[in-house]
Amino acid sequence: IFRLFLHTRMKMGLLLLLIICQCAIHSIKTHGVSKPNIILLMADDLGIGDLGCYGNRTLRTPNIDKLAEEGVTLTQHIAASPLCTPSRAAFLTGRYPIRSGMAAFSRVGVFLFSASSGGLSSEEITFSKLLKQKGYATALIGKWHLGMNCESNNDFCHHPLSHGFDYFYGLPVTNFRDCKPGQGSVFLKGLQKDLVIPIQIAAIAVVSLAIVQYIGLLKVPFQALGYCLIIITISLVVLIFFFYHFRHLNCFLMRDHQIIQQPLSYENLTQRMTKEAMQFIGRNTNTPFLLVLSYLHVHTALYASENFKGKSKHGLYGDAVEEMDWSVGQILDVLEKHNLSDKSLVYFTSDQGAHVEEISSAGEVHGGYNGIYKGGKSTNWEGGIRVPGLLRWPGVVQAGSYIDEPTSNMDIFPTIVKLAGAELPSDRIIDGHDLLPLLQRKVTQSKHEFLFHYCNAYLNAVRWHPGNSESAWKVFFFTPNFSPEDSNGCYDSHVCFCHGGFITRHDPPLLFDLSRDPEEKVPLTPETESRFYEILRAVHQAVDNHTRSLHAVPNQLSWDNILWKPWLQLCCSSLFQSCYCDHESGGSPLQVHLG
């Protein structure tokens, strides 16, 4: 009896020990996938074909490729918009930009000036707001492009610090050709097209009135003629002043709410931003942090520091890509240095595809490579919206794995919000889905049965991935008119537009199966696809459901909200001193060691 009693006690003890071990292991696993550090790296206008891990064999991107080797590669990762401003709004909020008013009904789909009144509404909930509430230190370094002020030049209603970031170091708008002397202008061609005719009409009208007044055919008060001349003259003076000083007024560097360099200097710029990111990580080794490093590379104006100039096989564009890759390596190294690699989720992407129409005045290609995919930035062909998607988290996601399911940059919002232990907002639709079950292979199918592709505020195309099929159907309601016709972009207008004579509407819509035709070369027809009308019916039903879920919101990209407003202009000195200051030049650049 004693032996039986002892044997039973031992078995119970072993069982208890096993339960305790399992609980401990579960606790460790749970701790491992909760409140990790979040590092989100976003390139600007980078083509999916520019990276070694997506098939490029001539550009050197070993550090970005390392993310793929040690993490997951998403092969069908889709930007919510093919333009910077709406894509970034969707990324931060997990919602289609049409829901936040960040999709334009006019031709211009992004913010162009620092003194515009539009921007990401304070009503929107960003992942940075939710993570900050959960004790995360939060920083945005680099490009913002989601607005600055509303009614005065210091209300900062759209500023990153008003959207959940503790720290901001970067550009409030974006990197334009006009920001770098000698790189040309993104506005000149448009101004020539849009302003020459109105100016000619106004001049002819004033001269005609003066003539009929002189010969006595019509009595026109000299006062009216005077007012007309004054208005035209003032308008021209303001326009000339603005574009002459564009670089000073729109291309400047801020730290939090303070301008620290106006105009922006490109000297060691990537090193400075990388150093800021590394210092932020160093300050937060003992607390969970969110770092969004939003590179200016490889949007034009292109630039590269002396250590990278002339080193790539693809001119200045390649130099810029390789410098960005170096920066990614620095971030990974500092995580390793502080033993944070296993506690950190690192994500790399681009806001949209490469800008294929970017060619310098000297004829050098300044746009990237979208691989086999058609089109580029500003279009919803795959080249404009299929972007790199790399996620690394050692011990949590499987290294070297690939996921060929539709995913979106909107998915980052619910993924990191849940990891931080925060609740998803219940008062609004979140269009993104948590990626972790897919990344950990707990599920094999994406939750995105349908994805809606907008060209500005116009529904352009729909992607359908049925649950019982490997097909990825894509339906286009209209397509951009490429110029020249046999080219791969809208070279005559620099970007493609979304309405009027710039597009061709299709009835019935164009249908592709991306699983068989990822290059979108051959539209399917009722003769070549037996389910043609069945597919269109399913897509139209999805569009109806989606449209019913939309609610009217203020349009942040209306003409009134995107035009320059002098009273909103940020200036570190005064307009009469050309808005000049430089509090950056004294800083020591980060040492660059090239392998």
Side-chain angles (χ1 to χ4, degrees):
I1 294 170
F2 175 74
R3 283 182 180 176
L4 183 62
F5 172 75
L6 189 63
H7 181 68
T8 305
R9 288 290 298 271
M10 286 178 65
K11 284 178 72 177
M12 288 178 64
L14 286 169
L15 186 61
L16 183 62
L17 184 63
L18 185 62
I19 292 169
I20 290 169
C21 287
Q22 284 179 332
C23 288
I25 291 167
H26 177 73
S27 174
I28 290 166
K29 284 185 176 179
T30 304
H31 177 72
V33 295
S34 66
K35 301 200 89 168
N37 303 310
I38 308 290
I39 299 96
L40 308 177
L41 309 171
M42 179 172 276
D44 196 351
D45 291 2
L46 181 73
I48 194 171
D50 288 327
L51 302 177
C53 53
Y54 283 95
N56 193 296
R57 294 293 172 263
T58 53
L59 277 172
R60 295 168 296 182
T61 56
N63 296 297
I64 297 171
D65 297 344
K66 184 181 177 183
L67 287 175
E69 291 163 12
E70 298 178 355
V72 175
T73 301
L74 305 175
T75 62
Q76 205 177 150
H77 196 48
I78 308 301
S81 170
L83 286 174
C84 306
T85 293
S87 176
R88 289 162 185 269
F91 172 63
L92 278 170
T93 63
R95 289 151 53 81
Y96 288 110
I98 191 77
R99 298 193 193 278
S100 57
M102 297 293 273
F105 289 92
S106 62
R107 186 188 300 185
V108 180
V110 299
F111 294 115
L112 300 174
F113 314 124
S114 65
S116 298
S117 57
L120 188 61
S121 169
S122 58
E123 299 296 314
E124 290 300 313
I125 297 174
T126 60
F127 55 62
S128 43
K129 278 183 183 177
L130 296 176
L131 267 64
K132 183 175 181 178
Q133 290 169 8
K134 284 295 178 179
Y136 273 70
T138 58
L140 172 70
I141 293 168
K143 168 176 168 172
W144 175 237
H145 211 182
L146 294 173
M148 189 56 46
N149 293 306
C150 290
E151 296 178 356
S152 69
N153 67 358
N154 61 0
D155 63 35
F156 298 113
C157 63
H158 303 307
H159 190 280
L161 268 59
S162 299
H163 282 290
F165 290 102
D166 300 319
Y167 182 69
F168 172 58
Y169 176 92
L171 272 69
V173 193
T174 189
N175 176 29
F176 292 109
R177 280 190 177 277
D178 305 68
C179 294
K180 192 178 180 189
Q183 292 297 305
S185 171
V186 296
F187 298 102
L188 197 57
K189 189 181 285 189
L191 282 173
Q192 287 172 341
K193 280 187 176 181
D194 296 340
L195 288 181
V196 169
I197 292 175
I199 288 171
Q200 287 175 341
I201 291 171
I204 291 168
V206 170
V207 170
S208 300
L209 285 172
I211 291 170
V212 297
Q213 165 77 13
Y214 179 75
I215 62 178
L217 289 176
L218 183 69
K219 291 292 180 184
V220 181
F222 278 105
Q223 198 174 10
L225 279 173
Y227 283 142
C228 284
L229 282 171
I230 289 169
I231 290 168
I232 291 169
T233 303
I234 290 174
S235 299
L236 284 173
V237 167
V238 169
L239 200 63
I240 291 166
F241 171 85
F242 176 76
F243 283 103
Y244 183 77
H245 292 281
F246 182 92
R247 178 169 165 250
H248 289 76
L249 298 177
N250 296 285
C251 312
F252 51 84
L253 192 63
M254 297 184 78
R255 178 176 280 112
D256 294 335
H257 291 138
Q258 182 187 2
I259 297 175
I260 56 174
Q261 193 173 59
Q262 190 173 15
L264 169 76
S265 167
Y266 286 90
E267 186 178 359
N268 295 320
L269 183 56
T270 302
Q271 281 85 348
R272 284 183 275 155
M273 290 187 172
T274 305
K275 183 178 179 181
E276 287 284 338
M278 293 168 68
Q279 288 176 340
F280 173 77
I281 293 171
R283 291 195 300 269
N284 292 285
T285 55
N286 296 317
T287 188
F289 63 82
L290 163 70
L291 169 64
V292 179
L293 180 49
S294 177
Y295 289 104
L296 305 190
H297 290 316
V298 280
H299 197 293
T300 51
L302 294 178
Y303 68 96
S305 62
E306 289 302 319
N307 295 87
F308 295 92
K309 272 184 187 173
K311 300 293 172 65
S312 79
K313 294 180 180 179
H314 291 280
L316 189 54
Y317 183 89
D319 300 342
V321 171
E322 293 185 1
E323 181 170 41
M324 177 174 61
D325 179 79
W326 164 84
S327 173
V328 171
Q330 295 296 298
I331 301 304
L332 299 182
D333 287 349
V334 80
L335 291 175
E336 192 65 34
K337 174 186 171 184
H338 293 295
N339 298 314
L340 295 175
S341 295
D342 292 348
K343 304 171 188 174
S344 303
L345 172 65
V346 181
Y347 167 71
F348 180 89
T349 193
S350 178
D351 54 357
Q352 64 264 326
H355 193 171
V356 296
E357 296 94 345
E358 275 290 6
I359 297 173
S360 74
S361 55
E364 183 181 358
V365 174
H366 278 190
Y369 176 53
N370 292 316
I372 66 170
Y373 303 112
K374 187 174 182 175
K377 176 179 179 175
S378 80
T379 81
N380 281 303
W381 294 111
E382 288 297 283
I385 55 176
R386 194 181 287 222
V387 293
L390 305 172
L391 294 108
R392 187 194 79 166
W393 189 359
V396 178
V397 300
Q398 185 182 343
S401 58
Y402 293 82
I403 294 175
D404 190 27
E405 286 287 304
T407 57
S408 168
N409 65 350
M410 296 183 291
D411 295 338
I412 297 304
F413 180 96
T415 303
I416 65 174
V417 166
K418 286 186 179 181
L419 286 173
E423 294 292 326
L424 290 175
S426 58
D427 63 341
R428 63 198 64 204
I429 292 173
I430 301 298
D431 297 297
H433 297 292
D434 182 8
L435 283 173
L436 203 58
L438 200 60
L439 298 175
Q440 294 186 301
R441 303 291 181 173
K442 291 178 180 177
V443 299
T444 57
Q445 183 106 22
S446 166
K447 286 188 178 179
H448 287 293
E449 184 180 1
F450 293 95
L451 279 168
F452 302 93
H453 305 307
Y454 280 85
C455 185
N456 287 354
Y458 305 98
L459 185 59
N460 183 186
V462 178
R463 190 187 221 91
W464 180 31
H465 181 47
N468 58 353
S469 169
E470 290 186 3
S471 293
W473 307 108
K474 190 173 176 188
V475 171
F476 276 95
F477 304 113
F478 64 85
T479 50
N481 298 329
F482 284 169
S483 54
E485 252 184 71
D486 59 348
S487 69
N488 190 40
C490 301
Y491 290 86
D492 292 347
S493 54
H494 192 63
V495 292
C496 296
F497 297 116
C498 306
H499 60 279
F502 297 103
I503 63 169
T504 297
R505 297 192 177 277
H506 302 286
D507 187 16
L510 297 185
L511 174 65
F512 298 91
D513 182 358
L514 298 175
S515 67
R516 291 179 286 166
D517 181 19
E519 299 168 68
E520 298 169 296
K521 281 185 173 179
V522 184
L524 299 170
T525 65
E527 290 73 35
T528 58
E529 175 51 61
S530 60
R531 293 167 293 171
F532 185 87
Y533 291 109
E534 175 192 336
I535 293 162
L536 291 187
R537 280 195 298 273
V539 167
H540 281 300
Q541 182 60 57
V543 169
D544 287 344
N545 294 338
H546 169 70
T547 305
R548 282 196 296 270
S549 76
L550 301 177
H551 303 288
V553 292
N555 182 3
Q556 299 294 333
L557 286 158
S558 65
W559 282 112
D560 177 55
N561 277 327
I562 65 172
L563 289 176
W564 180 58
K565 296 178 178 175
W567 60 94
L568 298 182
Q569 183 62 54
L570 289 168
C571 189
C572 62
S573 54
S574 73
L575 286 173
F576 300 105
Q577 295 173 302
S578 296
C579 293
Y580 176 83
C581 65
D582 189 354
H583 305 300
E584 276 282 281
S585 296
S588 58
L590 189 63
Q591 294 299 310
V592 178
H593 302 285
L594 298 176

